[in-house]
Amino acid sequence: MSEIVLETEGLTKYYGDSLAVDHLDLEIPRGCICGFVGRNGAGKTTAIKLMLGLLEPTAGSSRLLGCDSSALTPAIRQRIGYVTEGHRLFRWMSIAGLEKFQRAFFPKQWDDKFFTDMIEYFDLPKKKKIKHLSNGQRAQVSLALALAPNPELLIMDDPTLGLDAAIRRQFLEGMIGLIMREGRTVLFSSHILGDVERVSERIVVIDKGILRAYCSLEQFQEAVKKVIFTFADSVPNEVNIDGLLHCKRIEKQLELTLVGTDDEQIAEWAKSAGAENHTIVKMSLEDQFIEFTAPANQKRLFKWEER
Ligand code: ATP
């Protein structure tokens, strides 16, 4: 079994009376790129801050690289890269100044060539001040600063927020560049499901602080499906099938969104309900995510683990 580099156990956070993260249990193995998704206010930033020891949990715990998040030593912190939402950087500094500043925290592991290559790849002048860069360029500098110390574990909170499609792709390629270095692990939150789909092997879905799914991307994509049943006469009033997320009636057709229901169960249900035929429709990851986290489906229903 591969080494677990990020682990949370019953991780819980209340802000006053308001529950932001609810008993989150996660185990992320070394070498994995993991997409962290959830609607606005789902608890992603809070969970990330808890993992990094920047917030104190109300209950539960988390461990990064085997060290409790509440007691991360400087030596462990040096092995972790963190890219924050909004890319907060000293605005008055130049890229070169920030490089020097950041390098001082990582005297042994800073990779000058990698940083310079990335800055050149993004076509950024090192002399330019952060305040004179666009949002996208600031994101690129953030990524280069986070990657240059060659972190074993990279945690990023919505790193591509506000970036255009081409820059997002560059950014993601930079991330893949990191993972190509052996044994590196990435957890990144994003609202852009296309990005998650492009680079992630695993996916974490949270909703109202609750873990709704943690599995391989492939498992998630196979599990959530839309099926259209056609009936000769009327559409049945009651639909009783395992994994039902959503049901829509359109004249003589019934459109069901299902999770974890296998094709055999679907065929059996079609037969028992008297459907003339049924078609399984391919869904995009974005559609799957929207259906899976729709307000009507907010029970703690489904969770898959890699076997
Ligand atoms: P988004 O995708 O919109 O950035 P998120 O998934 O990162 O959202 P969080 O920022 O973790 O969500 O917020 C989770 C919940 O906790 C929300 O209901 C939010 O309003 C609340 N919250 C976050 N920070 C605080 C705070 N400092 N004080 C009180 N409530 C907070």
Side-chain angles (χ1 to χ4, degrees):
M1 189 174 151
S2 48
E3 182 198 349
I4 302 300
V5 294
L6 191 162
E7 184 179 5
T8 69
E9 217 182 316
L11 193 64
T12 301
K13 178 70 184 174
Y14 276 89
Y15 293 109
D17 293 341
S18 161
L19 180 57
V21 173
D22 185 3
H23 293 88
L24 186 64
D25 291 322
L26 277 181
E27 283 188 348
I28 299 182
R30 184 176 289 279
C32 171
I33 298 191
C34 192
F36 191 14
V37 296
R39 300 168 91 103
N40 287 132
K44 302 178 295 297
T45 298
T46 304
I48 285 176
K49 285 185 173 166
L50 290 168
M51 289 168 193
L52 288 159
L54 303 174
L55 275 179
E56 210 178 305
T58 311
S61 61
S62 67
R63 292 168 77 76
L64 301 186
L65 300 169
C67 183
D68 196 282
S69 298
S70 63
L72 293 175
T73 60
I76 295 282
R77 284 199 184 275
Q78 286 195 343
R79 294 161 60 196
I80 301 167
Y82 173 40
V83 178
T84 52
E85 219 176 11
H87 309 284
R88 276 167 237 134
L89 301 170
F90 296 120
R91 294 177 60 83
W92 49 273
M93 280 183 138
S94 65
I95 297 175
L98 261 181
E99 177 189 13
K100 203 171 154 199
F101 176 76
Q102 195 79 351
R103 191 203 284 126
F105 292 100
F106 305 94
K108 291 200 191 115
Q109 64 203 76
W110 186 269
D111 187 337
D112 278 318
K113 183 175 178 316
F114 184 83
F115 183 82
T116 301
D117 284 354
M118 268 196 104
I119 293 297
E120 278 175 15
Y121 172 70
F122 290 139
D123 205 14
L124 296 171
K126 270 199 185 179
K127 280 191 192 148
K128 221 166 182 185
K129 292 205 167 165
I130 301 301
K131 65 181 170 191
H132 296 139
L133 299 177
S134 72
N135 282 340
Q137 291 170 326
R138 273 198 284 276
Q140 292 166 329
V141 175
S142 280
L143 186 68
L145 288 170
L147 298 196
N150 199 4
E152 273 174 67
L153 172 62
L154 180 63
I155 299 180
M156 300 195 284
D157 193 2
D158 221 345
T160 57
L161 184 73
L163 306 190
D164 74 36
I167 292 180
R168 282 205 330 268
R169 188 162 292 193
Q170 266 186 342
F171 192 97
L172 295 171
E173 280 169 8
M175 202 160 101
I176 292 170
L178 171 83
I179 210 75
M180 301 301 273
R181 297 167 167 199
E182 222 172 286
R184 300 300 184 252
T185 311
V186 180
L187 174 73
F188 77 109
S189 72
S190 179
H191 288 286
I192 301 173
L193 276 296
D195 288 354
V196 172
E197 190 166 14
R198 189 168 300 120
V199 298
S200 305
E201 291 160 45
R202 296 181 73 87
I203 181 170
V204 179
V205 185
I206 65 165
D207 197 27
K208 292 203 184 301
I210 295 172
L211 182 66
R212 292 284 310 279
Y214 175 46
C215 56
S216 73
L217 183 68
E218 206 182 328
Q219 274 177 300
F220 187 81
Q221 287 178 306
E222 274 173 18
V224 182
K225 48 186 112 172
K226 185 166 281 185
V227 192
I228 299 175
F229 299 87
T230 306
F231 293 84
D233 305 313
S234 57
V235 171
N237 285 328
E238 265 194 39
V239 177
N240 194 358
I241 180 168
D242 274 354
L244 182 64
L245 284 174
H246 194 205
C247 168
K248 197 159 128 190
R249 292 178 169 78
I250 317 153
E251 294 179 0
K252 289 188 175 172
Q253 286 192 328
L254 188 65
E255 186 185 287
L256 302 185
T257 312
L258 303 164
V259 60
T261 318
D262 64 37
D263 293 354
E264 219 169 275
Q265 283 173 292
I266 293 169
E268 268 171 32
W269 187 85
K271 199 170 163 200
S272 68
E276 271 191 329
N277 60 59
H278 70 277
T279 318
I280 299 180
V281 183
K282 187 156 173 49
M283 295 173 83
S284 67
L285 183 63
E286 184 169 271
D287 288 342
Q288 290 179 311
F289 169 75
I290 289 170
E291 294 277 3
F292 187 67
T293 56
N297 308 316
Q298 280 177 352
K299 286 180 276 171
R300 193 193 295 254
L301 288 176
F302 311 101
K303 180 177 164 190
W304 306 276
E305 311 264 15
E306 193 108 297
R307 268 156 230 158

